Amino acid sequence: MASEKLKNARAFEEQYSPYVPEDERPAYHVNGPIGWINDPNGFSVYKGEYHLFFQYNPYKPIWGPMHWGHVKTRDFIRWERLPAALAPDMPYDKDGCFSGSAIELPDGRQLLMYTGVREERQEDGSLKPYQTQCLAVGDGENYEKYEANPVLTAKDLPKGGSEADFRDPKLWREADGYYAVVGNRPADGSGSVLLFRSADGFHWTYQGPVASNHNQYGKMWECPDFFRLDGRDVLLVSPQEMMPIGLEFHAGNGTVCMIGEADGNRHLIRENVHAIDYGIDFYAPQTLEALDGRRIMIAWMQNWDTARSQPNTIRTCGMMTVPRELSVRDGRLIQVPVRELSRYYGEKISYKNVPLSTETILTGIRGRVIDMTVNVRPANGSVMYHAFRMNLAKDGEHVTTVRFKPEQGVVRVDRSRCGFPFDIVHVREFPVYSKHGSIRMRCVMDKHSLELFVNDGEQAASFVLHTPLSADVISFEAEGEVLMDVDKYDLIFSEEEEQ
Ligand code: FRU
């Protein structure tokens, strides 16, 4: 039975979501029906379909009482909306149903595991959150919270573990039972990822730490995910309060990928550590194993520090990245948009060996809902060019630039003139690998976003662009002489194609 709180949320989204016009919504990126969304939750297979839940405040386009919103898909591109799945309606989650994950049980039910937050006033007047792990069971649309909730509390934590920062369980199943990794703040005040095990998905015991931060990468580690890929063990975490490290990690909320080998206790011995995404708007990624074995990742295409500075005209805030296929190559996590995107390709416009120096517009190369790949190399192999630049989402007033300098091996994205009305971070620079000045850059755009994939996914960088949709010019320029190839597809989403 849906609680009053959940019924209210469902009625509210049904009544008001039609008022958010289609052109304010991305064409193929998951977004909320109304209100605010953040982290992806419960990204998983259920009865042959891919389900995605998300942190959700239906009532306002700002963070607030956390519900779980819900969508599903068969191809990661077209999504069907489902009613809100969870509301903060129990004493143990009255202050929020925070992030978590989902799995299909052998009896055909869907199991959700999430963090229940309950705040209590302390003697000094402050509010302290108590975070516990809770379960809900359902049929893919309606869920009952488990009568024995919460299933993991302070008493399940190792000595020194904080009950105020104990959240974001990620579940998976193996031949010998169920596992979950959960973020926690140990006694040193930074972050750790703890492993729990269960024979049936309902009764859980602590196993040990998968990894500890020791104050090296930020503080508290949020939203862990842990999986095996291409013969390596991969841990993803989203640390709070990071200090910048060169061009690899920026300050604030970041995302970190650790690749290595887990020992017999599943403690990760890390060998390679790098940022997951080098853009401004990317946080809290979560993965699933697709029906065909691919590991697919989706993330919140926003970040805490910039999410709070959205234009006050928006009626719904937040979207997800395009789902990305992952692989591990040479100690790096490689990401490319799911191949299903190509099913929505319209006409292909191609140019080969275009000589370029001054600003150039190519006939047919424009748009805001596109998948465009650009290859660049020096026009004369022995003379290195100084810089190559793409100007995207451009009109007389607006532009977002992507610049590559081969001598530095650095890509720089600047959205200062995209139309954001606030003086927040608008520029990111990140290192890329380039042999003799050659680089391949793929721009996946969906109205108010740009996702850049460099050299077939060696680096990814995600950006929200608050640019009017009429600004759809694309131009290219170089300092020095380059040759450029361009392949551009419009992405077409007509009603008839709906499944
Ligand atoms: C990460 C996060 C999670 C938490 C959720 C609350 O973005 O802070 O740790 O569960 O958001 O909405």
Side-chain angles (χ1 to χ4, degrees):
M1 266 292 286
S3 66
E4 278 310 303
K5 264 199 174 164
L6 185 60
K7 280 191 204 150
N8 289 344
R10 288 178 168 187
F12 190 88
E13 62 188 11
E14 203 170 302
Q15 183 174 1
Y16 292 106
S17 67
Y19 291 104
V20 180
E22 267 321 301
D23 66 353
E24 277 182 30
R25 298 180 182 280
Y28 58 99
H29 284 68
V30 171
N31 57 99
I34 186 84
W36 157 283
I37 72 167
N38 56 289
D39 312 358
N41 296 156
F43 189 37
S44 58
V45 179
Y46 182 64
K47 297 204 166 151
E49 295 180 305
Y50 301 110
H51 283 247
L52 177 71
F53 304 80
F54 43 84
Q55 291 288 279
Y56 176 40
N57 174 15
Y59 301 111
K60 284 189 180 153
I62 53 173
W63 192 84
M66 278 295 107
H67 294 61
W68 275 33
H70 193 184
V71 290
K72 67 177 183 179
T73 183
R74 286 181 183 276
D75 72 355
F76 300 108
I77 302 295
R78 303 294 299 238
W79 298 85
E80 183 187 326
R81 285 194 197 283
L82 293 167
L86 299 178
D89 51 16
M90 300 299 279
Y92 52 77
D93 65 16
K94 69 181 177 55
D95 294 299
C97 298
F98 276 21
S99 285
S101 51
I103 203 166
E104 181 169 345
L105 292 168
D107 64 9
R109 292 178 302 162
Q110 193 177 29
L111 180 69
L112 313 183
M113 191 181 207
Y114 68 98
T115 299
V117 182
R118 158 179 67 89
E119 289 181 348
E120 273 176 31
R121 184 79 53 199
Q122 307 297 293
E123 270 178 13
D124 65 2
S126 63
L127 271 180
K128 178 176 169 187
Y130 292 84
Q131 302 192 334
T132 58
Q133 313 321 313
C134 304
L135 302 174
V137 181
D139 61 359
E141 190 163 326
N142 294 299
Y143 301 87
E144 290 292 334
K145 289 182 181 167
Y146 180 45
E147 67 274 7
N149 274 345
V151 294
L152 286 173
T153 65
K155 70 175 176 13
D156 301 290
L157 287 170
K159 195 165 172 290
S162 160
E163 58 190 326
D165 285 304
F166 178 33
R167 59 181 174 272
D168 310 336
K170 175 71 198 303
L171 279 169
W172 74 95
R173 196 170 155 202
E174 293 187 18
D176 67 345
Y178 298 83
Y179 290 85
V181 280
V182 187
N184 185 224
R185 192 188 291 271
D188 72 5
S190 65
S192 64
V193 173
L194 307 179
L195 181 70
F196 296 85
R197 189 175 171 276
S198 167
D200 60 1
F202 292 85
H203 302 87
W204 291 87
T205 48
Y206 176 56
Q207 302 292 294
V210 168
S212 300
N213 183 355
H214 301 304
N215 284 298
Q216 194 179 3
Y217 299 105
K219 297 287 179 188
M220 170 67 185
W221 282 352
E222 300 188 308
C223 301
D225 198 345
F226 189 43
F227 50 88
R228 197 146 176 91
L229 183 62
D230 296 332
R232 309 313 318 274
D233 290 306
V234 179
L235 177 67
L236 309 181
V237 291
S238 296
Q240 297 178 309
E241 299 173 64
M242 284 191 84
M243 284 294 283
I245 303 179
L247 293 182
E248 191 61 38
F249 296 108
H250 57 77
N253 286 78
T255 54
V256 178
C257 170
M258 300 175 192
I259 301 176
E261 279 308 304
D263 66 15
N265 295 322
R266 297 181 190 245
H267 181 80
L268 181 71
I269 315 295
R270 45 195 195 236
E271 292 162 26
N272 303 92
V273 179
H274 60 81
I276 303 175
D277 186 287
Y278 294 83
I280 296 173
D281 301 295
F282 184 94
Y283 198 65
Q286 194 172 80
T287 71
L288 61 64
E289 187 180 332
L291 292 161
D292 58 7
R294 284 176 295 166
R295 178 64 56 175
I296 314 272
M297 177 178 76
I298 193 164
W300 179 34
M301 195 158 28
Q302 201 116 69
N303 201 320
W304 285 108
D305 298 315
T306 55
R308 298 188 182 99
S309 301
Q310 299 301 308
N312 55 16
T313 47
I314 59 168
R315 270 181 276 190
T316 166
C317 184
M319 61 181 139
M320 300 297 163
T321 62
V322 72
R324 302 171 183 180
E325 293 179 17
L326 300 183
S327 56
V328 175
R329 201 192 317 137
D330 300 331
R332 281 198 73 85
L333 189 71
I334 307 296
Q335 315 171 38
V336 291
V338 283
R339 62 197 64 173
E340 286 84 347
L341 191 60
S342 66
R343 294 188 193 160
Y344 300 93
Y345 281 173
E347 192 195 354
K348 178 179 184 183
I349 310 263
S350 267
Y351 289 85
K352 292 265 171 294
N353 288 317
V354 181
L356 187 83
S357 53
T358 53
E359 185 169 4
T360 303
I361 290 175
L362 300 171
T363 307
I365 304 289
R366 66 190 304 148
R368 293 285 293 275
V369 186
I370 60 167
D371 184 351
M372 175 178 80
T373 299
V374 176
N375 287 306
V376 177
R377 56 199 167 275
N380 171 345
S382 59
V383 185
M384 190 50 67
Y385 59 97
H386 185 57
F388 167 77
R389 199 151 88 149
M390 286 188 276
N391 303 305
L392 305 169
K394 180 175 152 88
D395 62 12
E397 197 182 351
H398 304 94
V399 66
T400 291
T401 60
V402 178
R403 186 191 73 188
F404 172 59
K405 285 196 164 180
E407 283 124 2
Q408 298 175 344
V410 168
V411 168
R412 180 180 201 267
V413 180
D414 183 346
R415 66 160 191 204
S416 318
R417 298 197 59 81
C418 84
F420 245 103
F422 298 106
D423 185 27
I424 53 174
V425 170
H426 292 306
V427 178
R428 281 273 191 258
E429 290 192 318
F430 55 94
V432 299
Y433 177 71
S434 156
K435 203 170 173 191
H436 308 309
S438 292
I439 189 166
R440 181 199 292 270
M441 293 191 275
R442 180 170 174 191
C443 302
V444 173
M445 300 183 74
D446 186 1
K447 297 183 186 170
H448 296 112
S449 65
L450 162 67
E451 288 164 272
L452 181 66
F453 299 88
V454 179
N455 292 334
D456 303 309
E458 284 174 2
Q459 281 83 19
S462 309
F463 301 87
V464 170
L465 311 178
H466 282 294
T467 313
L469 294 180
S470 53
D472 66 350
V473 172
I474 296 174
S475 70
F476 307 93
E477 56 195 309
E479 290 168 42
E481 305 273 322
V482 303
L483 286 182
M484 178 181 73
D485 311 324
V486 185
D487 285 331
K488 191 217 73 168
Y489 299 90
D490 286 320
L491 295 164
I492 310 287
F493 300 93
S494 59
E495 286 306 309
E496 301 82 72
E497 272 163 325
E498 205 136 13
Q499 342 163 4

